[in-house]
Every structure is written in structure tokens, then in C-alpha cells.
Amino acid sequence: MSALSVIKSIWKIINLIREIFLNLVFLIIILLIFSGIALIKEVNKKEVIPQSGTLIMDLEGVVVDNSLYSDEIYEIQDKIYGKRVNLSRENSLFDLVQKISQATSDPNIKSMVLKLDNFVGADMSSLQYIGKYLTNFKAANKPIYAIGSNFNQSQYYLASYANKIYLTPLGAVSVFGLSANNLYYKTLLDNLKINTHVFRVGTYKSAIEPFIRDNMSDEARSNTSRWLNLMWNNYLGDISEERKKTPTQLVPLPKDMLSELKAANGNMAQYALANGLIDAIATNHEFELEINIKNRVSIYDYQLKENVKPTTNEPKIAVVFVNGTITNGENSSNVAGSQDIVAQLRNIRKNLNKNNIQAVIVRVNSPGGSVDASEAIRNELEALRSYQIPVVVSMGGMAASGGYWISTASDYIVASPNTITGSIGIFGIVPTIENSLSHIGVYNDGVSTSPLAHRSITQNLSNEMNQFIQMNIDNGYQTFISLVAKARNMTIEQVDNIAQGQVWLGSEGSKNGLVDKLGDFDDAIEMAATLASISDYQIDWQKQEGNWINALYSDMIAMMPKSTAEVLFEQLPEIKQIKQQVSFWDKFQDGQNRYIYCINCADIK
């Protein structure tokens, strides 16, 4: 056999293998497509679940203003993996309160049970908003019961609205206080010989402290202590009012608490009962026998009734969400992408008459982010206002730094008493690794036509570049306080006194001029309707669905066998904080290295 024949035979075999491989890939794709279609059809076959009896609020995961993932995505996950507890599930705050509101007037719903063991938490503003609707439910002569094994502070806050709270015999109520902690990396960066160039304006602008200090500065400690203690007092005041007990009865001073716990032989359930935190100790079985629930409907199975009103000519109030760190690009979980938000606002502006949009609510729940991204959103809001469309900002748990920058382009600001706001300041941070490289014998050298012409992570910043960036940061701060001064009818000096990066709660913001009214989302809707001079209207939620493939991928990772990763990310919350702060560098891609962001605002426990 000739060499040419051998080559031809080998080539035929290669072609055969290639065709078999491609056909297999094609077959797998076809199977996946048909499987996906069948799965979606299966999900769309709504199981007929009775919508009567006792509403069980069996929340899983966290409550957020705007979940990018619909209930259908979670249903698909359940079909693939089987029904299981999902602690990473995102629950829409507004879907939740709409369901409670509907159940309040629904004659088929007789009572409610708060079963919150798998509820991870929510910010204080969201908890208060849910509490308002639980109060309305009780006012309709419909009792609420709560049962738990280990109430965390978010769980207990909601449970305090119940007519009666039950705790399992070995359970506990962990209501001890709030803390705001951060990790600091100065020594680590020094050991790695990373040179961190920091540019900032604002005595209290603590966002960059983790990278230049090993501890919290006195200024940041004083500022954080002030608003954190105020928030804690608000928490105690709310549960005290619901439980008809004084705050010191419910949560004694540590010394008294330890003494009382010792008297109860360390039994946390007996301690909670003695202090009035709960009403009864019972197993889950005993609880069910006492309450005598005949029919139960999960909050996830309880369906909202479709709006049967015509939608063509009725005035609308559009709601746009700014939820998470503000960056350029697309929305994702905990990220407010200016690209998507600007597109939503522009679409509203271009279709005002077609869609009969009469007002816009901007729901801000953000610690800030990039100046460029924040400004892009603010500019689009200003464009809307030029069409005589009133813009009302509804502040959620947080509207600080870039969140407040955006809020300046509004006609009215409504904040919760516990909204974290302010943090009016700006900073820039540029790391360089020339010392790290030189330590291992690597150097960077070359020529430039100007000290400003070349900037690299592998070279130290020139004196001229340092001056250039600092002047840009100074200008950014002046722009920020000027925007606030103009929006709030204040002088530059007045704004500067409450700026400098200082963080305020909404209750303080209403006193120092940063907020127009203390209230919730309903108050913001009412104000938008008033400014637009409309009475009958619909709410047009500007929601963008998340990528379901990403959701399934995240869920697959969560379903992997227990590993070291689970221990680190679930048992050691500090590791989550490291991940969050490392992602700080990845998320921030401002062209001029200018950031309006409040790191300390985002980690409250």
C-alpha cells in the first residue's frame, strides 16, 4: 500500500469520526431543545391548588426590591432538581405585599402562619413595609400566627406582628443588636508590595479605608455608630410596639440578659418565654393541633388575580428599579446596569403618549458605584422631566452615594425612616504593582512624550498624574454637592456641611434637607399621582427578566456535593465579604476612576 493510500485512509477515518461527533452534538442539541419545550409546557400546566384556608408565608431566601428571576424560573429548577429549600431565592418585595394585600380582602383566606425558618432576611425598610401589610391583615380580623425554631432578627421582626408567637422547645430568638463590620487589607497589600494610590474628597468617605488602613478610622466609627444605633432603636421600637413590652424587657442589657439566661439554666426557649419575646413553646405538631389548620396555601402557590381593567387609555405610573451597585453595562443580581436602566427610561420617554405614562417612580436601593454610570441614569431622568413628567424617588433600604446622585434628578424624594442615604462624597483608587514586580526581578521601563501619556498598573504614578487625578476628583465632588444644592434648594456650604461622605438615616435626612417625606413606596405612588394630577391609574412595572440559563447554572453549582466551598461561603460570612470586596475592582470600570460608593453601608447584620 502506497503512502498516499495510507494518508487517504487516515483522512477518511478522521472525517468519519468528525461526522459522528458532529451528529452526536446535533442530536444532543435537538434532545435538549425538545426537553426544554416539554419542561416549559410542564411548568405552564398550572397545578390546580386550592386558594382557600390558611395562607402560609413560608419564605425562602431573601426579599429584594426587584428579582430578575421570575417564579417560573424557580419552578423549572424544582422540576429539574426536585422541590428543595433554596436559601438563595430572591423574593420580590412588591409581589409579596400585593399577595398579602389581596389575601386581606379575600374571603377565602381566613388566617396566616409565618413559617420563616428558611427566610434569610431583608433590609429594615422592606421589613417595615411588609409589617404594614401584616398589620392591615390583622385589622381585617384575620389572625396571624408565627412558628419558628431559631428566629434571626429579620425573622423575628416579622414574627412580632403575629397575634401569637410559638417557639420550638430547643429553639431560640437571636435578637442581640446590629453590627456593621468590614475587612481591612493595608498590611496584606503592603506585604504583596501593591502600591494603592487613593484620591478622595470627604472626611467621612470611608469606602477606600479597607485598602489603606487596618482598622476603621475614628471619623468612620463615629459616623457609623450614630446611624447604626438609631436604626437599632427603630428596630426595638417597632417590636416593642407590636409585643406591648418595653425594649429593655424584650432585649435587656447584656449583663441582665446573661443573668436571666442563667436563671433559665441556659434554656433559650424558656428565656424567650419569660421575657415576652414569644407566647408559647410548642413542637411543630403541637402547633398544628392547636391552630387546627384545615387547608393551607403556600405564599408561593397563592395566585394574584389578573387586572381586568382596560390598559389602553388609563393613565400609568411607570416604576423603574435601580437595585444594587451602579455600573456600566447590563442589570444582574445586585448590579444596577446603567445600560439597561437608561434603555428603560428612554423607552418610557419615547412612548409617553402611546403608553399614557403620566409619572415615573424611581425605586432606588443602591450603595452607589461609578460616576459615569450614575450620571448616565441621572441625565435620562432629567430628559424625562423636560417633558413635564414628574419623577418621584422612592428610597428603599439604601440610597447612598451614587444612589443619591441619581435621586437629585427628581421632583420629590420619599425615604423610609431606616433608609441609609447621604454618603455624598467621591473617591478614586488606582493600584500599581511595580514594587511587587521588582521584588521578583521584573521591571517596566520606556519613554513617553509626556508624564501623562502613559499610565500602567506596572508603573508608579507620576507626580503630574497624581495631581491630574486629584483635581478631577475635587471637581467631581464640587459637581456632586452642586447637584444636591440645586435639587434641594440649599447653598453649597449647607450641602458641604452634611456631605463629606457622611451617612444618614432617612429620619435624619428629612431633618437636614436630603429627603422630602418619610414614608414607603405607597406614599411615593400617592405623591406621583398628585404631581401628575391623576386619580385612576395603573402601575407599569419596568421589569427585566434575568437570564434563566444563568439562574440554572447558579443552581447547579449550589446542588454540588458538600465541599470546602460550602463551609467557606456558608459558615464563614467573612469569606462572602472578601468576595464582595474583590469584585469591587471588577465591577468598577469608570473611565476616569471616579466612584461614588458606600462600602460600609452594604454589610449590616
Side-chain angles (χ1 to χ4, degrees):
M1 182 181 292
S2 66
L4 183 60
S5 298
V6 172
I7 292 173
K8 285 182 177 180
S9 298
I10 293 173
W11 182 250
K12 287 181 180 179
I13 294 172
I14 291 173
N15 268 334
L16 179 62
I17 294 172
R18 179 178 61 84
E19 289 177 6
I20 292 173
F21 176 77
L22 290 176
N23 287 333
L24 283 173
V25 170
F26 179 74
L27 182 60
I28 291 171
I29 291 173
I30 293 296
L31 288 173
L32 286 174
I33 290 173
F34 280 103
S35 298
I37 292 171
L39 184 61
I40 292 171
K41 285 183 177 179
E42 179 68 21
V43 170
N44 288 334
K45 287 181 186 175
K46 294 292 183 182
E47 184 182 352
V48 179
I49 298 174
Q51 301 285 291
S52 61
T54 297
L55 183 64
I56 309 295
M57 193 185 291
D58 48 350
L59 291 176
E60 297 178 359
V62 296
V63 170
V64 297
D65 279 0
N66 180 35
S67 173
L68 293 179
Y69 306 125
S70 66
D71 288 341
E72 285 72 20
I73 288 178
Y74 292 113
E75 287 179 26
I76 291 174
Q77 291 177 342
D78 288 343
K79 291 292 183 182
I80 294 175
Y81 303 114
K83 180 62 180 173
R84 63 186 181 82
V85 173
N86 186 353
L87 296 181
S88 63
R89 179 168 187 155
E90 294 182 348
N91 301 276
S92 166
L93 171 65
F94 301 105
D95 286 348
L96 180 60
V97 297
Q98 284 178 58
K99 287 186 177 184
I100 298 173
S101 179
Q102 178 177 289
T104 300
S105 56
D106 187 347
N108 295 315
I109 298 298
K110 306 299 182 183
S111 60
M112 183 189 299
V113 169
L114 304 177
K115 197 170 179 61
L116 304 169
D117 284 341
N118 298 316
F119 173 46
V120 175
D123 59 59
M124 268 292 292
S125 298
S126 297
L127 292 173
Q128 281 188 315
Y129 191 49
I130 297 169
K132 169 183 171 180
Y133 282 83
L134 293 177
T135 298
N136 294 341
F137 188 91
K138 286 193 299 183
N141 294 318
K142 297 185 177 185
I144 299 178
Y145 307 97
I147 175 71
S149 55
N150 286 287
F151 288 108
N152 66 28
Q153 291 184 162
S154 289
Q155 293 168 359
Y156 186 75
Y157 184 92
L158 294 184
S160 71
Y161 286 86
N163 297 85
K164 193 171 182 180
I165 304 177
Y166 295 78
L167 183 67
T168 54
L170 297 180
V173 178
S174 301
V175 178
F176 305 124
L178 299 176
S179 66
N181 296 286
N182 232 325
L183 296 173
Y184 294 83
Y185 308 104
K186 180 182 183 300
T187 298
L188 172 65
L189 295 173
D190 288 345
N191 290 338
L192 295 173
K193 301 187 182 302
I194 295 175
N195 195 359
T196 308
H197 306 271
V198 170
F199 311 88
R200 64 172 170 172
V201 180
T203 304
Y204 299 89
K205 198 61 189 171
S206 57
I208 43 75
E209 286 192 355
F211 307 103
I212 62 172
R213 296 179 60 94
D214 286 326
N215 58 4
M216 182 181 284
S217 69
D218 291 339
E219 295 82 2
R221 188 180 303 278
S222 173
N223 184 235
T224 304
S225 294
R226 191 201 72 250
W227 62 259
L228 192 67
N229 280 301
L230 180 56
M231 182 182 287
W232 176 239
N233 289 335
N234 291 341
Y235 178 97
L236 289 178
D238 288 350
I239 65 171
S240 174
E241 181 178 351
E242 294 302 321
R243 296 296 298 162
K244 303 297 185 289
K245 305 280 185 181
T246 66
T248 51
Q249 280 181 295
L250 294 172
V251 186
L253 294 173
K255 181 180 178 181
D256 297 331
M257 181 177 128
L258 291 173
S259 176
E260 292 172 19
L261 182 59
K262 184 177 181 180
N265 295 317
N267 187 312
M268 291 293 292
Q270 289 294 337
Y271 165 82
L273 183 62
N275 281 66
L277 289 164
I278 62 171
D279 299 294
I281 298 173
T283 64
N284 283 290
H285 178 62
E286 290 168 342
F287 170 77
E288 291 183 2
L289 289 176
E290 182 172 333
I291 300 302
N292 191 25
I293 302 174
K294 294 181 179 178
N295 297 312
R296 61 179 64 205
V297 53
S298 166
I299 193 72
Y300 295 117
D301 294 328
Y302 187 59
Q303 301 297 315
L304 286 171
K305 296 175 183 176
E306 293 185 4
N307 193 340
V308 296
K309 290 184 178 181
T311 60
T312 51
N313 297 319
E314 193 170 17
K316 296 183 181 67
I317 297 176
V319 179
V320 176
F321 291 93
V322 179
N323 191 43
T325 301
I326 303 168
T327 69
N328 298 304
E330 300 177 345
N331 283 329
S332 61
S333 188
N334 295 318
V335 173
S338 63
Q339 177 182 312
D340 285 344
I341 296 169
V342 167
Q344 288 176 352
L345 292 170
R346 187 171 294 141
N347 181 63
I348 291 172
R349 177 165 54 85
K350 290 184 175 180
N351 294 281
L352 288 173
N353 295 328
K354 177 182 176 183
N355 295 329
N356 201 8
I357 302 295
Q358 297 294 315
V360 172
I361 301 279
V362 183
R363 176 68 174 188
V364 180
N365 202 338
S366 169
S370 160
V371 170
D372 285 348
S374 300
E375 177 63 4
I377 298 170
R378 193 195 70 83
N379 280 335
E380 197 57 46
L381 287 173
E382 289 287 13
L384 256 177
R385 294 174 73 198
S386 70
Y387 285 76
Q388 307 305 310
I389 298 297
V391 173
V392 175
V393 165
S394 169
M395 291 182 169
M398 189 183 314
S401 286
Y404 197 85
W405 181 293
I406 288 170
S407 301
T408 60
S410 66
D411 297 284
Y412 204 83
I413 297 176
V414 179
S416 159
N418 291 297
T419 295
I420 298 172
T421 189
S423 191
I424 298 168
I426 186 170
F427 69 91
I429 186 165
V430 181
T432 57
I433 59 171
E434 68 281 359
N435 294 330
S436 306
L437 294 177
S438 65
H439 185 68
I440 59 174
V442 178
Y443 300 88
N444 185 315
D445 199 6
V447 294
S448 300
T449 58
S450 162
L452 301 176
H454 177 69
R455 195 184 81 197
S456 169
I457 192 174
T458 61
Q459 288 186 332
N460 195 8
L461 297 183
S462 66
N463 182 52
E464 292 84 356
M465 181 60 74
N466 274 288
Q467 294 181 56
F468 178 85
I469 296 175
Q470 185 61 59
M471 283 190 286
N472 196 17
I473 297 299
D474 291 340
N475 175 262
Y477 180 70
Q478 290 301 316
T479 300
F480 200 165
I481 61 176
S482 296
L483 287 172
V484 176
K486 181 180 178 182
R488 308 305 303 168
N489 294 315
M490 301 167 71
T491 66
I492 295 292
E493 292 73 22
Q494 287 174 321
V495 175
D496 191 43
N497 286 335
I498 59 174
Q500 298 286 326
Q502 295 179 85
V503 176
W504 308 94
L505 284 195
S507 56
E508 298 173 301
S510 69
K511 296 176 182 177
N512 62 28
L514 293 178
V515 171
D516 290 302
K517 180 179 180 178
L518 292 179
D520 54 32
F521 182 77
D522 299 340
D523 295 300
I525 290 289
E526 184 179 335
M527 179 53 61
T530 299
L531 293 175
S533 300
I534 55 177
S535 54
D536 295 324
Y537 53 84
Q538 285 189 326
I539 306 301
D540 184 11
W541 303 93
Q542 301 288 309
K543 288 190 176 182
Q544 179 176 334
E545 295 294 333
N547 188 319
W548 67 273
I549 294 178
N550 289 343
L552 289 180
Y553 174 75
S554 299
D555 208 59
M556 287 173 64
I557 297 299
M559 287 292 291
M560 292 178 69
K562 307 299 181 183
S563 63
T564 303
E566 182 190 49
V567 175
L568 290 176
F569 287 98
E570 290 186 13
Q571 305 302 324
L572 298 177
E574 290 77 9
I575 301 299
K576 289 184 179 179
Q577 194 178 114
I578 292 175
K579 181 182 177 183
Q580 180 185 33
Q581 292 184 353
V582 168
S583 69
F584 175 95
W585 304 96
D586 182 53
K587 289 178 182 176
F588 287 175
Q589 299 175 359
D590 188 277
Q592 299 181 51
N593 291 294
R594 299 174 303 171
Y595 303 105
I596 37 181
Y597 189 78
C598 183
I599 286 183
N600 285 348
C601 298
D603 188 33
I604 304 169
K605 296 172 185 168

